[in-house]
Amino acid sequence: MHARVRIALATVAAAGLTGGLLTVAAGTASAAGSGLQGDFNGDGYRDIAVSAPLAAVGGKSRAGQIAVMYGSPSGLRTAGRTLISQNSAGVPGSAETNDFFGTSTAAGDFNGDGYADLAVGAPGEDVGSDTDGGAVTIVWGSAAGLAGGTTVADPSPSGQDSFGKSLAAGDFDPDGKTDLASGGTSAKVWVFRGGFTKAGGNGGRYYATARIVKGTDAGALHLATGDFNGGGGDDLIVGGYDADTNFSTNVLIYASPTGTKLEDGSQEDLAAGMISDTGDLNGDGKDDVVIGETWDDGIPGAVKGGKIGVVYGNDYSSYTVHSIGQDTAGVPSAAETDDRFGWEVSVGDINGDGYADVAVSAPAENLTTTGASVGDTGAVTVLYGSASGVTAAGSQYFHQDTAGIPGGNEKSDYFGGEVFLSDVNGDKKADLTIGANGENDWNGNVVGLLSDGTAIGTTGVVSFGPSTVGVSTSGYPEFGSVMAG
């Protein structure tokens, strides 16, 4: 998902406690597209799908819409963008009030043609008489970009609601085809095997159950993938509520050694946290897990202002959670109550040294502007990987008063409501895209920062809001609150 600031805070208030997406493209050498992860139009540059899940479409409030910004040698470009909603030609269904189309997204080449496709969740979709049953649509990549779509049917409409509330793509078999995992309100995570077709076919399905994740009304709040144990197949991380304690939890489910499924019996219970992403932070060939733990108190291990927990890849053995917070030496900010450091995390190699780096948001950070404290304006910290793992050495700190970043710190901007690391200009170094979904009374905004080869820089920065890309500002669209690519 990532359930964003206003949506997720409402969930926290109701539930008392709360519970980022590395995906895989499976292009072939003979395919027409580039086969590059997140390259929807096959031109050799990664693109980013930016959601406004509360946007009005055709007069229907909170129907949800996605703007696809295409990469180029100079980074993201707003010209030539694609707007996608359930009113778009070829996309199944129609825009309806409270569909929340775009609440979750996952990029992957689902039909193996070399063009990245986009799986989109609309957890509020009414399916026939099934109120809020939820829907998942694959929007297909092509030389013209994302267009048309195919429904992925809910395999258990009577057993869950909000199908598609969480999504992730990966090759769990591994057979070289991209699979799709989808969660709803049950404890089951459905996995659709690769071999997707525009006619609605796939390679079959099964489900995995994270053994301690609460079902009935919560289910999988977030999904992430990566090869955690170096076994060759993607493993799945399921975030949700612990069925016994009701604390947020993350469960790692390993891919089967036989390459046929995710094994319910081969699991590890990771640290509490709301969001996670994966990547190889220490260069040992195994993906590591970064978990955002945003709470000041109320859950085991909580610290003032929030923190991230890092679990390094292992082989079914014991592990240690390495914690980094705003009071960790070298981190350029100080912990304050309710900063929500770790609200969003994203992993990618910014400087091309072979070690993945981490962007961490604190969207509720208070900052001083012209001598006055500005509440919930938000900030993003970048931490760098090394042979010994992620470290605070050389870390960076960005907010809207940072030199070179357009705009300024304002109350309730929630800069960092989303962060996403991906190479959008083709230099093989990850760039940083930041969503500020509270900007301008919850209209939202997106800022794109490029890697300068050694770190994130501010040369060539782009900034755009919903009006720039054609998304309605009626209501509170929260543009920039979800990204995939």
Side-chain angles (χ1 to χ4, degrees):
M1 135 144 128
H2 307 160
R4 303 312 173 198
V5 174
R6 273 197 335 138
I7 300 172
L9 287 183
T11 302
V12 174
L17 293 167
T18 67
L21 177 81
L22 189 69
T23 56
V24 179
T28 64
S30 60
S34 70
L36 183 67
Q37 164 69 20
D39 183 7
F40 302 123
N41 62 356
D43 65 354
Y45 299 97
R46 287 186 65 171
D47 313 311
I48 298 183
V50 180
S51 292
L54 278 74
V57 178
K60 304 295 184 180
S61 61
R62 300 176 296 279
Q65 193 168 28
I66 296 170
V68 183
M69 321 308 298
Y70 294 100
S72 74
S74 58
L76 290 180
R77 52 187 174 89
T78 57
R81 62 189 177 272
T82 299
L83 282 179
I84 301 169
S85 74
Q86 290 178 292
N87 281 358
S88 298
V91 175
S94 61
E96 299 168 316
T97 299
N98 294 334
D99 278 347
F100 304 112
F101 181 82
T103 292
S104 58
T105 52
D109 183 6
F110 295 110
N111 62 351
D113 65 355
Y115 296 100
D117 312 304
L118 185 70
V120 183
E125 176 84 4
D126 296 340
V127 182
S129 61
D130 186 8
T131 302
D132 297 333
V136 174
T137 301
I138 295 178
V139 184
W140 300 105
S142 71
L146 289 174
T150 301
T151 297
V152 179
D154 183 351
S156 182
S158 63
Q160 65 181 346
D161 283 326
S162 300
F163 178 61
K165 70 186 288 186
S166 53
L167 294 169
D171 186 5
F172 305 114
D173 304 19
D175 62 355
K177 300 177 182 179
T178 304
D179 311 316
L180 176 65
S182 177
T185 55
S186 77
K188 295 178 180 178
V189 176
W190 288 93
V191 178
F192 299 85
R193 297 186 66 179
F196 292 89
T197 68
K198 294 183 180 181
N202 58 65
R205 64 175 187 255
Y206 58 89
Y207 68 84
T209 303
R211 61 178 175 239
I212 61 173
V213 169
K214 179 181 179 181
T216 67
D217 60 352
L221 300 179
H222 180 256
L223 302 173
T225 65
D227 186 1
F228 191 65
N229 63 347
D234 280 322
D235 309 308
L236 180 69
I237 299 168
V238 182
Y241 295 118
D242 187 302
D244 296 323
T245 67
N246 208 34
F247 291 135
S248 171
T249 189
N250 283 268
V251 179
L252 171 68
I253 309 178
Y254 287 102
S256 167
T258 61
T260 56
K261 64 184 181 70
L262 294 167
E263 291 198 309
D264 288 351
S266 299
Q267 301 188 20
E268 290 186 19
D269 305 337
L270 303 179
M274 186 178 65
I275 213 78
S276 61
D277 200 2
T278 66
D280 188 359
L281 303 168
N282 58 3
D284 67 353
K286 299 173 185 175
D287 283 328
D288 312 307
V289 183
V290 181
I291 299 170
E293 305 175 51
T294 67
W295 305 272
D296 300 287
D297 53 33
I299 67 166
V303 301
K304 182 179 179 180
K307 66 179 181 180
I308 61 169
V310 180
V311 180
Y312 292 99
N314 65 81
D315 297 301
Y316 295 91
S317 59
S318 61
Y319 62 88
T320 301
V321 178
H322 303 265
S323 297
I324 298 176
Q326 290 172 294
D327 285 342
T328 299
V331 174
S333 57
E336 301 166 311
T337 299
D338 203 31
D339 279 344
R340 296 194 175 270
F341 183 81
W343 180 267
E344 286 289 345
V345 298
S346 186
V347 178
D349 187 357
I350 293 167
N351 53 13
D353 64 356
Y355 304 111
D357 311 307
V358 185
V360 186
S361 77
E365 178 91 334
N366 297 342
L367 293 168
T368 300
T369 297
T370 62
S373 178
V374 181
D376 298 337
T377 185
V380 175
T381 300
V382 176
L383 305 170
Y384 287 87
S386 70
S388 58
V390 67
T391 173
S395 57
Q396 296 180 277
Y397 187 63
F398 297 97
H399 49 82
Q400 292 183 96
D401 276 355
T402 298
I405 293 183
N409 292 335
E410 299 169 312
K411 181 177 174 59
S412 301
D413 277 349
Y414 294 102
F415 183 78
E418 170 70 305
V419 290
F420 192 71
L421 286 171
S422 64
D423 174 19
V424 296
N425 66 352
D427 66 355
K428 303 188 185 306
K429 298 176 176 63
D431 309 303
L432 175 60
T433 308
I434 301 170
N437 54 310
E439 180 82 20
N440 295 331
D441 193 24
W442 301 102
N443 279 342
N445 193 67
V446 171
V447 173
L449 303 172
L450 298 175
S451 167
D452 64 11
T454 59
I456 295 296
T458 55
T459 299
V461 62
V462 295
S463 178
F464 50 91
S467 297
T468 302
V469 297
V471 172
S472 171
T473 57
S474 175
Y476 308 100
E478 296 200 41
F479 179 70
S481 56
V482 184
M483 299 181 194

